[in-house]
Amino acid sequence: MTEPEKEIEKNYSYNKQELIGFLDEFKTQIEAGKIEIGQEHVEIPDGNMDVEYGFKIEKGQKEIEIEIKWKK
């Protein structure tokens, strides 16, 4: 597998209410057609996207992952 051209991540620590606010802002950005992280952004298409989500429990640690993919 090749390395991505660019990969940008931000890490936060939220309580449940703060997480709800973050996801609400994420929803607002999707509705506006782009998601921003710092100075970078990706345009969200109007067409079909592949969405995968799931959760993992490993050694007592729980994780939820959401992945959204599309091609130009």
Side-chain angles (χ1 to χ4, degrees):
M1 183 175 225
T2 61
E3 290 292 316
E5 293 176 30
K6 187 178 280 191
E7 186 170 342
I8 300 166
E9 293 181 355
K10 290 282 186 176
N11 297 303
Y12 300 95
S13 180
Y14 290 138
N15 64 34
K16 188 189 308 186
Q17 203 57 40
E18 291 167 329
L19 177 61
I20 290 167
F22 168 79
L23 293 173
D24 190 48
E25 174 59 29
F26 199 69
K27 176 183 170 256
T28 301
Q29 288 187 38
I30 292 170
E31 289 171 339
K34 71 179 179 179
I35 295 175
E36 298 176 343
I37 297 179
Q39 299 295 321
E40 299 290 336
H41 74 275
V42 291
E43 302 286 330
I44 305 297
D46 290 326
N48 290 338
M49 294 171 265
D50 296 329
V51 178
E52 178 180 319
Y53 69 96
F55 64 87
K56 174 171 65 171
I57 301 170
E58 186 174 302
K59 296 182 183 173
Q61 182 171 335
K62 298 170 178 94
E63 179 179 304
I64 297 172
E65 187 172 280
I66 301 170
E67 190 169 319
I68 305 166
K69 297 179 183 181
W70 65 91
K71 293 185 179 182
K72 278 188 169 182

